[in-house]
């Protein structure tokens, strides 16, 4: 029976045979998809990272901006702030993705990066009413096939939790302008706190960076009622830190993790294959997640 099933899935999910798809245990992936299919859309939830997971890494050889980098617009911040944010990015991003350093070593450095950037942004007295224009003028771009992804989840009433260490207000504006901010979308992120005149004065709540998503997942679990009673999880991320985004799910049954490996490919390939169930190497599309969802919903 398994042999026939393997044959079946090979013909039904041809996307899994693309050479950009790496799997440690193809058999386990197939069995998990099969189990999720039997349980149906009513038992499924999708948890996804945002920057460089739902958004593209690059387009026409140019890096696509993260939510923080979308703020790099003269409507919002001055030249000096741009320069300082770039310097911080050049210092800390290589650390974030460094395969030779442990998460423990990276943790305090990520807190440092995010804290410094948020302080710089607060000094700029960013205006809430300018955010939407800055997103319009940016080259922010969701992955090819994003519309099928968001629309299918909405049609099937499958909750989508977007869990981002980026800036929540900017993230919301990106999905709103792409017309996919459907009612099934829930967001955990760093939200801006504006004073009564609409000027940025702080960031709300506990800071979320790339490697503390577990704490965020646990502290938000109770308030996300729509996600309860859905034990099957499709998780999408581009950082190893994203793997903890499902830690708040109570009594999970099947968790299938997909990792986008965008950068430092050779250095991180082995680590990613050992950590995610499916690794997508330099794949700027949602084709594989869409094919899997097409199978389950
Ligand atoms: P994510 O959780 O939605 O992927 O967002 C986190 C990403 O944001 C992370 O990969 C690093 C990136 N980032 C910037 O691009 N600029 C910044 O100033 C900061 C603090 C983070
Ligand atoms: Mg990311």
């Amino acid at each position: 029976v398994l042999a026939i099933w393997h044959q079946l899935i090979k013909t039904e999910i041809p996307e899994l045979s693309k050479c950009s798809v790496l799997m440690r245990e193809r058999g386990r992936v197939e069995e998990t998809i099969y189990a999720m299919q039997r349980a149906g859309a009513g038992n499924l939830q999708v948890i996804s990272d945002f920057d460089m997971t739902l958004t593209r890494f690059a387009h026409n050889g140019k890096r696509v901006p993260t939510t923080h980098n979308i703020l790099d617009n003269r409507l919002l911040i001055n030249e000096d702030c741009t320069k300082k944010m770039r310097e911080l990015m050049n210092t800390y991003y290589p650390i974030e993705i460094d395969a030779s350093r442990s998460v423990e070593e990276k943790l305090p450095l990520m807190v440092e990066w995010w804290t410094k950037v948020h302080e710089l942004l607060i000094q700029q007295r960013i205006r809430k009413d300018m955010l939407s224009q800055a997103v319009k003028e940016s080259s922010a771009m969701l992955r090819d096939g994003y519309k099928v992804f968001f629309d299918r989840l909405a049609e099937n009433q499958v909750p989508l939790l977007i869990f981002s260490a980026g800036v929540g207000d900017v993230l919301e504006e990106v999905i709103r302008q792409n017309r996919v901010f459907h009612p099934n979308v829930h967001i955990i992120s760093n939200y801006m706190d504006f004073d009564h005149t609409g000027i940025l004065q702080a960031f709300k709540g506990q800071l979320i960076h790339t490697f503390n998503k577990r704490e965020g997942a646990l502290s938000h679990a109770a308030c996300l009622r729509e996600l309860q009673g859905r034990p099957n999880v499709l998780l999408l991320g581009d950082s190893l830190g994203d793997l903890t985004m499902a830690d708040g799910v109570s009594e999970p049954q099947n968790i299938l993790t997909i990792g986008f490996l965008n950068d430092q490919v050779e250095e991180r390939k082995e680590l990613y294959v050992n950590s995610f169930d499916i690794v997508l190497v330099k794949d700027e599309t949602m084709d594989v997640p869409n094919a899997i969802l097409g199978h389950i919903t």
Side-chain angles (χ1 to χ4, degrees):
V1 172
L2 215 59
I4 295 170
W5 169 244
H6 280 205
Q7 207 48 52
L8 257 177
I9 199 156
K10 257 176 209 154
T11 48
E12 284 183 31
I13 310 190
E15 284 81 0
L16 284 184
S17 300
K18 289 205 298 192
C19 57
S20 54
V21 179
L22 305 177
M23 288 176 280
R24 179 179 69 252
E25 286 179 87
R26 183 177 181 140
R28 203 194 89 80
V29 168
E30 291 169 350
E31 279 154 32
T32 306
I33 295 171
Y34 186 37
M36 287 177 161
Q37 182 192 37
R38 276 176 303 179
N43 284 303
L44 179 69
Q45 58 175 297
V46 178
I47 304 181
S48 180
D49 169 54
F50 190 71
D51 292 302
M52 297 180 263
T53 295
L54 291 178
T55 58
R56 294 179 63 118
F57 178 73
H59 182 58
N60 291 338
K62 260 198 78 191
R63 286 289 296 270
V64 167
T66 60
T67 50
H68 280 100
N69 291 342
I70 289 170
L71 298 170
D72 181 7
N73 182 310
R74 288 293 160 269
L75 290 172
L76 304 173
I77 66 174
N78 62 28
E79 230 176 295
D80 181 56
C81 183
T82 292
K83 197 170 146 268
K84 285 179 176 152
M85 276 177 73
R86 285 209 188 128
E87 281 165 9
L88 291 170
M89 178 96 175
N90 293 338
T91 307
Y92 291 101
Y93 176 68
I95 299 174
E96 183 193 351
I97 63 164
D98 187 347
S100 70
R101 293 187 202 227
S102 69
V103 170
E104 291 70 43
E105 197 183 331
K106 293 178 186 186
L107 256 165
L109 298 167
M110 294 302 108
V111 174
E112 226 172 78
W113 182 16
W114 260 258
T115 306
K116 284 179 183 167
V117 167
H118 287 185
E119 275 166 10
L120 282 171
L121 293 172
I122 291 163
Q123 284 167 11
Q124 295 297 305
R125 302 175 57 80
I126 287 175
R127 282 175 52 181
K128 183 180 168 67
D129 61 357
M130 288 290 162
L131 288 181
S132 135
Q133 188 59 28
V135 171
K136 272 187 205 122
E137 291 178 9
S138 77
S139 47
M141 215 177 163
L142 296 166
R143 281 184 196 272
D144 287 2
Y146 76 88
K147 204 162 168 44
V148 170
F149 176 81
F150 279 89
D151 290 355
R152 173 178 281 136
L153 293 178
E155 279 158 22
N156 289 282
Q157 292 168 29
V158 173
L160 167 61
L161 173 62
I162 302 178
F163 199 146
S164 169
V167 181
D169 309 74
V170 177
L171 184 170
E172 284 194 5
E173 197 52 37
V174 172
I175 57 175
R176 193 175 294 123
Q177 290 185 14
N178 282 284
R179 303 185 179 283
V180 289
F181 197 176
H182 302 315
N184 63 318
V185 175
H186 305 267
I187 301 163
I188 299 177
S189 187
N190 298 305
Y191 276 93
M192 292 173 154
D193 192 3
F194 298 98
D195 68 13
H196 69 283
T197 65
I199 288 175
L200 179 65
Q201 57 174 7
F203 278 81
K204 294 177 186 169
Q206 198 67 46
L207 173 77
I208 303 169
H209 57 77
T210 337
F211 294 106
N212 72 349
K213 290 191 174 182
R214 180 182 155 78
E215 285 83 331
L218 293 174
S219 64
H220 285 86
C223 29
L224 292 162
R225 289 190 54 223
E226 214 190 299
L227 305 184
Q228 284 161 22
R230 291 175 177 267
N232 293 337
V233 182
L234 181 67
L235 181 149
L236 313 178
D238 76 293
S239 162
L240 294 175
D242 295 330
L243 283 163
T244 62
M245 295 188 301
D247 287 8
V249 178
S250 64
E251 298 177 52
Q253 271 167 21
N254 299 288
I255 300 186
L256 189 70
T257 60
I258 303 181
F260 287 92
L261 180 51
N262 303 311
D263 203 0
Q264 292 275 305
V265 171
E266 285 317 312
E267 294 83 346
R268 298 196 293 171
K269 203 180 254 175
E270 196 186 336
L271 202 54
Y272 270 56
V273 170
N274 287 329
S275 309
F276 289 94
D277 298 314
I278 302 175
V279 176
L280 305 177
V281 179
K282 288 198 175 290
D283 178 349
E284 295 285 8
T285 76
M286 294 300 282
D287 292 352
V288 170
N290 283 344
I292 291 170
L293 286 172
H295 216 75
I296 301 172
T297 60

